[in-house]
Amino acid sequence: MDNNLPNTQLDDQKMENLRKRTKLSKYIMIAGGVCLGIVVLMILLNGGTLSLNFKTPTGVVAIILIIGGFALLFAGIAFKQKAGEAQKHIANNYAQSVLGRVMDRLDTFDHGKHIDRYYLNQDFGFPKYDCTGFCGDYVRGVLRGVPMEFCEFELQEKHVTEDKDGDTDVSYETVFYGVIVVCRHNLALSDAVMATQFKTYENAYNADSEAFYNAFSVRCTSEQDAELALTPDYMQKLLELSAERGKRFAIRFLQDGTLLLVIKDMNLFEMGKSENTVQLVEKLEKEMEDFINILDTLALPAQKVTDHPNAERSELR
């Protein structure tokens, strides 16, 4: 175990206690559901009605079960949420250590920070959504010689339902989650070029490659820009990545020199099913290895530190 890691023995104990608390929260919520289920059964056995008052034994029992059921449900949810926050805190501590080892240089790792939403608002062919959900686990530094920043994000669709009394209920469904990477390119473009696997556009640019056309949908205003960004060799790299990983990618070259990559269904820096710190570190290292392998296969046409040695710590944008 790396000497730079936090107190592993103490964290092993914390992880064990948190697993127990998480399991307890599930039992508490199940108990709450059972209480409410009994009330439903009482209503069915009573012909579809049930008098909720203290004048009858049945009414008293039903009231106690309803109050107790909801109390148990809310208590279980609160227990689970608090345990999840503590687990995330531990995972973040070890993620910082892992990132420090696998990256050339780690400048920032911040769970509560995210990239500029300007980048997320770019066209990647995302499914219809109303708002962003969680957006965080921000990383900034140098990886494989490339200055970059990346973070996780969720896109959510809002659902509003109305009952017979006119009361509305609002819920949010996650329709997309993944990681977005921001770095720089050296191409002189007149406008943006984007290739995505998240949506098929009508009148998309035909890259004279049937295989690429079937795997990616390309949008641009200039064919010359598209040919400059999507060379035959680079299209082949994108196709190889798609064949290996599935349809999970979008890449966007902005006119100002910004290069954006979105990787769908990637979730980093979580504790998951890790039972101790050894398993947690192995999980985090495997996730970063997977992330780096994607970048290596993709061979992003990005600026490297050696390209601009005097601007090593300059802003990406």
Side-chain angles (χ1 to χ4, degrees):
M1 186 70 69
D2 194 319
N3 292 331
N4 293 324
L5 291 175
N7 188 327
T8 56
Q9 185 174 358
L10 179 60
D11 286 335
D12 283 339
Q13 295 174 356
K14 289 181 180 179
M15 290 174 68
E16 175 64 24
N17 291 334
L18 289 171
R19 279 200 308 278
K20 291 178 179 178
R21 285 171 58 183
T22 301
K23 185 178 292 186
L24 176 62
S25 69
K26 293 180 181 178
Y27 291 144
I28 292 174
M29 287 188 285
I30 290 173
V34 169
C35 290
L36 297 176
I38 292 174
V39 174
V40 173
L41 183 60
M42 291 171 64
I43 293 173
L44 294 175
L45 293 176
N46 202 42
T49 60
L50 186 62
S51 177
L52 297 177
N53 58 63
F54 291 100
K55 296 180 179 180
T56 63
T58 303
V60 171
V61 171
I63 291 172
I64 293 174
L65 287 172
I66 291 172
I67 294 174
F70 279 111
L72 288 169
L73 281 176
F74 288 129
I77 292 172
F79 267 48
K80 184 177 181 180
Q81 183 177 3
K82 194 169 182 180
E85 291 172 354
Q87 288 174 327
K88 182 61 179 174
H89 179 72
I90 293 174
N92 285 345
N93 288 339
Y94 285 83
Q96 176 120 12
S97 299
V98 170
L99 285 166
R101 293 201 308 275
V102 301
M103 296 186 70
D104 304 349
R105 189 188 74 231
L106 175 64
D107 296 332
T108 304
F109 173 60
D110 191 333
H111 170 66
K113 191 177 178 182
H114 54 78
I115 66 165
D116 192 329
R117 291 187 186 273
Y118 165 79
Y119 297 129
L120 281 177
N121 291 333
Q122 296 292 313
D123 178 18
F124 292 101
F126 290 137
K128 178 181 176 296
Y129 71 97
D130 298 303
C131 60
T132 55
F134 170 75
C135 194
D137 283 345
Y138 172 83
V139 179
R140 181 187 179 90
V142 179
L143 180 61
R144 291 290 200 266
V146 178
M148 66 173 60
E149 55 183 333
F150 59 91
C151 77
E152 299 177 32
F153 69 98
E154 293 179 352
L155 304 178
Q156 297 183 333
E157 186 176 9
K158 181 179 179 181
H159 298 284
V160 180
T161 56
E162 184 175 328
D163 62 21
K164 61 181 180 180
D165 297 322
D167 297 326
T168 58
D169 179 65
V170 179
S171 61
Y172 293 88
E173 176 190 4
T174 297
V175 295
F176 189 100
Y177 72 90
V179 170
I180 181 168
V181 181
V182 183
C183 51
R184 303 285 297 175
H185 66 76
N186 288 314
L187 306 177
L189 303 177
S190 63
D191 204 349
V193 177
M194 187 268 293
T196 182
Q197 296 187 303
F198 309 144
K199 182 178 181 178
T200 300
Y201 289 96
E202 295 183 5
N203 301 320
Y205 167 71
N206 189 336
D208 293 329
S209 168
E210 184 176 354
F212 190 80
Y213 187 76
N214 290 334
F216 287 86
S217 190
V218 179
R219 300 195 81 183
C220 62
T221 57
S222 165
E223 290 191 8
Q224 185 177 357
D225 286 343
E227 291 171 356
L228 186 62
L230 300 172
T231 64
D233 286 344
Y234 199 65
M235 285 192 292
Q236 185 59 38
K237 289 181 182 296
L238 288 170
L239 284 173
E240 290 172 1
L241 189 64
S242 175
E244 179 184 349
R245 305 280 182 164
K247 292 192 173 185
R248 298 174 52 196
F249 305 97
I251 187 167
R252 187 174 181 86
F253 301 81
L254 299 187
Q255 182 184 7
D256 66 1
T258 304
L259 175 60
L260 305 173
L261 169 69
V262 174
I263 307 172
K264 182 183 177 184
D265 298 339
M266 175 167 277
N267 189 10
L268 303 172
F269 315 131
E270 303 296 333
M271 183 174 291
K273 297 181 180 180
S274 305
E275 296 184 357
N276 52 55
T277 52
V278 173
Q279 293 181 7
L280 175 59
V281 170
E282 290 176 350
K283 175 181 180 295
L284 295 172
E285 289 177 338
K286 186 177 184 304
E287 289 174 346
M288 283 306 299
E289 181 182 358
D290 186 53
F291 176 68
I292 293 171
N293 285 341
I294 288 175
L295 298 184
D296 285 345
T297 303
L298 193 57
L300 291 173
Q303 291 181 0
K304 295 191 175 184
V305 170
T306 53
D307 297 334
H308 299 279
N310 295 327
E312 183 177 356
R313 292 183 178 272
S314 65
E315 292 295 321
L316 286 165
R317 185 185 173 196

